[in-house]
Amino acid sequence: MSDANLKTTPLNAAHIAAGARMVPFAGYSMPVQYKDGVMKEHLWTRENAGLFDVSHMGQARLRGVSPLSAFEEVTPGDFIGLKPGKQRYSVLLNKKGGIIDDLMAARPDDDGLFVVVNGACKDNDFKIIDDELAGQVRIDRLEDRALLALQGPKAAAVLADHAPEAATMVFMDARSITAFGTDAIISRTGYTGEDGYEISIPASEAERVWNTLLADDRVKPIGLGARDSLRLEAGLPLYGHDVDETVSPVEADLAFAVSKKRREARDFPGAARISKELAEGASRKRVGLTVLEGAPAREGAEIADEAGNVVGVITSGGFSPSLGKPIAMGFVPPALAVAGTKLKVIVRGKPQSAEVTAMPFVPHRYVRKI
Amino acid sequence: MRFTKDHEWVTLEGDVATVGITAYAAEQLGDVVFVEVPEAGKAVKAGDNLAVVESVKAASDIYAPVTGEVIEGNTGLGDAPETVNDQPEKAGWFAKIKIADQAEYEALMDRAAYEDFLQSL
């Protein structure tokens, strides 16, 4: 269980004290679940508020003369148009239009662009950004900060007790504010489909803030197991599984990350391929699948048409605690990507009935207006 | 009752072995959401895949602890997979196997040895 090569987050001792089962993830020892287990933790988050340690993720500031326009050289987003106090989902693209990573970038204050990337990709991402944008801007990694996520229908009421200003934010707002008596970067976003926040705080304050939030009866610690089942229900892709360097934003059903302005300008990496796919369609598309019988279909399971021809592959799947049935994501040709299309998933050699299902599987409950 | 290092339990009545997973294993797996049990007539060797048990997060293989022929799979788990968590060492059994060699059963750990094994993990 303990591996000397694994890094730990500032909350390692708190996880162990809370009875977490620790597993290697993205080079870190991380809590996959606490005492309640994945099912109860998942349902608690959908009904109350779940607290996640996501300090393994890469936090950085992009600083320099024009960080917003520079960031457009490696992404298809409209960052010049990103207003102060707002955050945007985007993707880092390679020259072939494949996704190097997906990320959040925000302007919580006047200090450049605040970027959060996936933990397993962060070293590579930050090197690419540094190399590609050398001479214009630099990446300053925020290794001394922890990142917490507070997610669920009660998250806003809980956080309002410690950071009243957070209640005035809407989905995809991001602000640097004083909260919990320290300097925090708070964004109203998350990876569960629920309302909630991500909270960046100094590592030295992490355990105190964690314990302060857990002292609230509405809050329980939630592990990576439930984080995965929650994001699957929310239809959100997981980098390295549903998305990788071969997959374009159009194929991944993330075309919303290619802004209108940039579509017209065609000035982002891989624009030739992505523009063509936007106009003519891609050869495969990420879809949701509901498995109608039998076992959960997990990553690597083949997808077949009703005649038995293999047409695609499952990229992530499992059992949906909220829906009480197996769900999955995978890639199929566009002709088969229409909701309601009957397909088969092959689990341990057996074809099982499945149906293409519009995502999210469980409706998002983002707070877009207050 | 006898036990394996893969956290299966076995009981023997005459030449029929009943196989399941231990309370420890059920707790480690978490909430069981799906179980695939073998059909009657399947021949298994000790160490072969016997059943599959799935939690929210992962699928786990269950191995046959003894050699023989499956005479019954616990099909009731299809509609009530949570039985594996609720009564792992009773109603949550997976399969009954008509065994060829009783010595295979005798060679497995008794409860005291299994408890010692758990302590060593």
Side-chain angles (χ1 to χ4, degrees):
Chain A
M1 192 165 284
S2 63
D3 183 326
N5 295 321
L6 287 178
K7 291 182 273 192
T8 56
T9 78
L11 293 164
N12 192 54
H15 297 318
I16 292 166
R21 190 180 300 164
M22 305 299 286
V23 299
F25 184 81
Y28 285 78
S29 179
M30 296 295 289
V32 67
Q33 64 164 82
Y34 298 84
K35 285 176 181 164
D36 284 347
V38 176
M39 183 83 85
K40 287 195 182 76
E41 290 172 22
H42 178 116
L43 296 173
W44 180 270
T45 306
R46 288 266 182 257
E47 288 161 18
N48 298 282
L51 183 61
F52 304 74
D53 176 16
V54 288
S55 302
H56 62 298
M57 297 186 78
Q59 303 179 67
R61 292 278 191 174
L62 191 62
R63 292 173 170 135
V65 180
S66 305
L68 302 180
S69 58
F71 203 52
E72 293 198 352
E73 293 183 26
V74 289
T75 64
D78 176 7
F79 285 98
I80 293 170
L82 182 63
K83 293 191 172 63
K86 298 302 289 186
Q87 172 164 281
R88 190 156 283 166
Y89 173 84
S90 194
V91 290
L92 200 57
L93 291 173
N94 64 30
K95 302 279 187 285
K96 294 177 175 169
I99 299 173
I100 298 167
D101 197 6
D102 62 347
L103 57 88
M104 288 286 193
R107 295 183 67 191
D109 47 42
D110 295 329
D111 186 8
L113 198 58
F114 174 63
V115 181
V116 180
V117 303
N118 282 301
C121 306
K122 63 184 177 182
D123 292 340
N124 186 46
D125 290 354
F126 292 147
K127 184 177 184 306
I128 287 169
I129 295 170
D130 246 347
D131 290 351
E132 291 290 324
L133 307 181
Q136 305 178 68
V137 290
R138 66 176 192 278
I139 280 280
D140 292 327
R141 295 179 63 160
L142 309 179
E143 307 270 17
D144 58 348
R145 294 187 78 86
L147 190 65
L148 311 182
L150 184 67
Q151 300 281 298
K154 295 182 183 173
V158 170
L159 193 59
D161 290 348
H162 307 279
E165 192 181 335
T168 69
M169 298 166 64
V170 295
F171 181 61
M172 295 300 260
D173 277 356
R175 289 185 205 167
S176 286
I177 58 177
T178 298
F180 304 95
T182 189
D183 68 292
I185 305 168
I186 296 183
S187 60
R188 195 159 191 170
T189 180
Y191 195 45
T192 61
E194 294 296 324
D195 181 29
Y197 299 86
E198 291 191 350
I199 306 163
S200 169
I201 41 171
S204 58
E205 304 287 338
E207 194 160 340
R208 183 179 61 81
V209 173
W210 176 265
N211 288 331
T212 300
L213 285 167
L214 285 184
D216 191 311
D217 288 342
R218 294 167 289 187
V219 182
K220 286 192 177 191
I222 310 297
L224 292 180
R227 184 170 164 84
D228 189 48
S229 52
L230 288 158
R231 70 92 197 164
L232 181 63
E233 288 181 353
L236 302 171
L238 175 60
Y239 195 84
H241 299 265
D242 307 301
V243 181
D244 63 31
E245 291 223 18
T246 71
V247 177
S248 77
V250 182
E251 292 174 327
D253 201 18
L254 300 173
F256 69 89
V258 186
S259 78
K260 186 165 175 284
K261 185 190 85 175
R262 307 294 305 280
R263 288 180 193 207
E264 288 164 6
R266 298 190 182 193
D267 59 350
F268 50 87
R273 169 192 179 182
I274 291 170
S275 300
K276 187 166 186 285
E277 289 179 351
L278 284 168
E280 300 169 17
S283 62
R284 57 179 176 171
K285 193 178 169 208
R286 181 175 64 97
V287 295
L289 289 163
T290 302
V291 180
L292 303 173
E293 58 176 353
R298 301 186 190 272
E299 183 175 3
E302 289 180 326
I303 304 169
D305 62 16
E306 288 199 291
N309 306 302
V310 173
V311 293
V313 65
I314 298 292
T315 50
S316 57
F319 186 82
S320 161
S322 302
L323 303 174
K325 57 192 175 188
I327 57 172
M329 291 178 196
F331 283 87
V332 297
L336 299 174
V338 182
T341 303
K342 293 280 195 289
L343 294 170
K344 300 282 185 188
V345 289
I346 316 295
V347 180
R348 295 184 283 275
K350 284 183 213 156
Q352 300 174 188
S353 295
E355 185 176 287
V356 175
T357 306
M359 294 192 285
F361 295 99
V362 171
H364 293 161
R365 293 200 281 185
Y366 303 140
V367 174
R368 297 177 189 274
K369 255 186 254 182
I370 48 173
Chain B
M1 190 176 272
R2 296 295 165 98
F3 301 87
T4 73
K5 287 188 174 179
D6 294 320
H7 307 287
E8 291 129 353
W9 57 262
V10 191
T11 56
L12 190 63
E13 283 175 48
D15 61 356
V16 175
T18 303
V19 179
I21 61 169
T22 65
Y24 172 85
E27 199 273 330
Q28 287 290 308
L29 283 172
D31 295 289
V32 172
V33 298
F34 182 84
V35 183
E36 188 175 298
V37 297
E39 289 178 6
K42 183 183 181 183
V44 291
K45 274 191 246 169
D48 285 356
N49 287 345
L50 179 71
V52 180
V53 57
E54 304 227 19
S55 65
V56 174
K57 194 161 174 50
S60 305
D61 289 322
I62 306 299
Y63 304 106
V66 290
T67 302
E69 183 188 324
V70 173
I71 57 168
E72 187 183 354
N74 187 358
T75 50
L77 297 180
D79 290 329
E82 65 277 7
T83 310
V84 176
N85 295 111
D86 296 341
Q87 300 186 55
E89 297 181 17
K90 289 184 179 141
W93 62 277
F94 289 164
K96 293 180 188 293
I97 301 172
K98 187 175 182 187
I99 64 170
D101 180 3
Q102 195 159 328
E104 258 184 3
Y105 173 81
E106 301 295 342
L108 299 173
M109 289 181 280
D110 63 16
R111 189 174 285 275
Y114 179 64
E115 300 281 346
D116 286 347
F117 170 67
L118 286 182
Q119 290 296 319
S120 74
L121 296 178

